[in-house]
Short mmCIF file of all heavy atoms in Angstrom, two decimals:
data_model
loop_
_atom_site.label_atom_id
_atom_site.label_comp_id
_atom_site.label_asym_id
_atom_site.label_seq_id
_atom_site.Cartn_x
_atom_site.Cartn_y
_atom_site.Cartn_z
N ALA A 857 78.87 104.68 66.05
CA ALA A 857 78.77 105.20 67.50
C ALA A 857 78.37 106.68 67.59
O ALA A 857 78.79 107.37 66.66
CB ALA A 857 80.17 104.97 68.16
N GLY A 858 77.59 106.98 68.45
CA GLY A 858 77.08 108.29 68.52
C GLY A 858 75.71 108.61 67.96
O GLY A 858 75.14 109.62 68.04
N GLU A 859 75.35 107.68 67.21
CA GLU A 859 73.96 107.67 66.52
C GLU A 859 72.85 106.96 67.31
O GLU A 859 73.23 105.99 68.00
CB GLU A 859 73.92 107.08 65.12
CG GLU A 859 74.88 107.86 64.15
CD GLU A 859 74.87 107.17 62.80
OE1 GLU A 859 74.45 106.03 62.62
OE2 GLU A 859 75.48 107.81 61.83
N ALA A 860 71.65 107.45 67.35
CA ALA A 860 70.64 106.76 68.02
C ALA A 860 70.33 105.48 67.43
O ALA A 860 70.65 105.16 66.19
CB ALA A 860 69.42 107.64 67.96
N ALA A 861 69.93 104.48 68.28
CA ALA A 861 69.63 103.10 67.78
C ALA A 861 68.62 103.09 66.66
O ALA A 861 67.51 103.76 66.78
CB ALA A 861 69.21 102.28 69.00
N VAL A 862 68.95 102.37 65.58
CA VAL A 862 67.90 102.16 64.49
C VAL A 862 67.10 100.95 65.00
O VAL A 862 67.33 100.22 65.86
CB VAL A 862 68.59 101.85 63.18
CG1 VAL A 862 69.47 103.10 62.75
CG2 VAL A 862 69.37 100.58 63.25
N ARG A 863 65.95 100.77 64.13
CA ARG A 863 65.08 99.63 64.62
C ARG A 863 65.23 98.54 63.56
O ARG A 863 65.15 98.77 62.31
CB ARG A 863 63.70 100.11 64.64
CG ARG A 863 62.71 99.00 65.06
CD ARG A 863 61.38 99.51 65.53
NE ARG A 863 60.49 98.42 66.04
CZ ARG A 863 60.61 97.87 67.22
NH1 ARG A 863 61.60 98.26 68.13
NH2 ARG A 863 59.83 96.88 67.55
N LEU A 864 65.43 97.35 64.00
CA LEU A 864 65.48 96.19 63.13
C LEU A 864 64.11 95.45 63.24
O LEU A 864 63.83 94.69 64.10
CB LEU A 864 66.55 95.16 63.65
CG LEU A 864 67.03 94.06 62.67
CD1 LEU A 864 67.79 94.64 61.60
CD2 LEU A 864 68.00 93.14 63.40
N ASN A 865 63.26 95.87 62.29
CA ASN A 865 61.78 95.43 62.39
C ASN A 865 61.35 94.47 61.29
O ASN A 865 60.17 94.24 61.12
CB ASN A 865 60.90 96.66 62.41
CG ASN A 865 61.19 97.60 61.23
OD1 ASN A 865 61.83 97.18 60.26
ND2 ASN A 865 60.57 98.75 61.28
N GLN A 866 62.38 93.93 60.59
CA GLN A 866 62.03 92.90 59.57
C GLN A 866 62.75 91.62 59.87
O GLN A 866 63.84 91.63 60.30
CB GLN A 866 62.37 93.43 58.11
CG GLN A 866 61.68 94.78 57.80
CD GLN A 866 62.18 95.26 56.50
OE1 GLN A 866 62.47 94.52 55.46
NE2 GLN A 866 62.49 96.55 56.31
N LYS A 867 62.14 90.51 59.48
CA LYS A 867 62.83 89.23 59.68
C LYS A 867 63.92 89.17 58.71
O LYS A 867 63.94 89.72 57.62
CB LYS A 867 61.76 88.11 59.35
CG LYS A 867 60.72 87.97 60.40
CD LYS A 867 59.78 86.65 60.12
CE LYS A 867 58.77 86.58 61.20
NZ LYS A 867 57.93 85.29 60.95
N GLU A 868 64.95 88.29 59.08
CA GLU A 868 66.07 88.00 58.28
C GLU A 868 66.80 89.16 57.66
O GLU A 868 67.17 89.27 56.55
CB GLU A 868 65.63 87.01 57.06
CG GLU A 868 65.03 85.68 57.64
CD GLU A 868 64.57 84.78 56.60
OE1 GLU A 868 64.73 85.09 55.36
OE2 GLU A 868 64.06 83.65 56.99
N THR A 869 66.98 90.16 58.54
CA THR A 869 67.64 91.42 58.19
C THR A 869 68.75 91.64 59.25
O THR A 869 68.72 91.12 60.34
CB THR A 869 66.79 92.60 58.13
OG1 THR A 869 66.12 92.81 59.37
CG2 THR A 869 65.71 92.46 56.97
N ALA A 870 69.74 92.42 58.84
CA ALA A 870 70.81 92.84 59.74
C ALA A 870 71.24 94.22 59.51
O ALA A 870 70.94 94.91 58.56
CB ALA A 870 72.07 91.87 59.42
N VAL A 871 71.87 94.79 60.53
CA VAL A 871 72.51 96.19 60.45
C VAL A 871 73.97 96.03 60.67
O VAL A 871 74.41 95.40 61.73
CB VAL A 871 71.82 97.08 61.46
CG1 VAL A 871 72.49 98.45 61.44
CG2 VAL A 871 70.33 97.23 61.12
N GLU A 872 74.77 96.67 59.89
CA GLU A 872 76.19 96.77 60.20
C GLU A 872 76.42 97.75 61.26
O GLU A 872 75.85 98.83 61.33
CB GLU A 872 77.01 97.29 58.98
CG GLU A 872 78.47 97.31 59.13
CD GLU A 872 79.28 97.68 58.03
OE1 GLU A 872 78.71 98.21 57.06
OE2 GLU A 872 80.49 97.50 58.00
N VAL A 873 77.11 97.40 62.39
CA VAL A 873 77.31 98.18 63.52
C VAL A 873 78.82 98.28 63.85
O VAL A 873 79.64 97.40 63.55
CB VAL A 873 76.61 97.60 64.73
CG1 VAL A 873 75.11 97.63 64.63
CG2 VAL A 873 76.97 96.14 65.06
#
Side-chain angles (χ1 to χ4, degrees):
E859 295 179 347
V862 299
R863 183 164 182 80
L864 195 68
N865 54 10
Q866 302 175 41
K867 291 183 178 181
E868 301 180 359
T869 56
V871 173
E872 186 178 12
V873 290

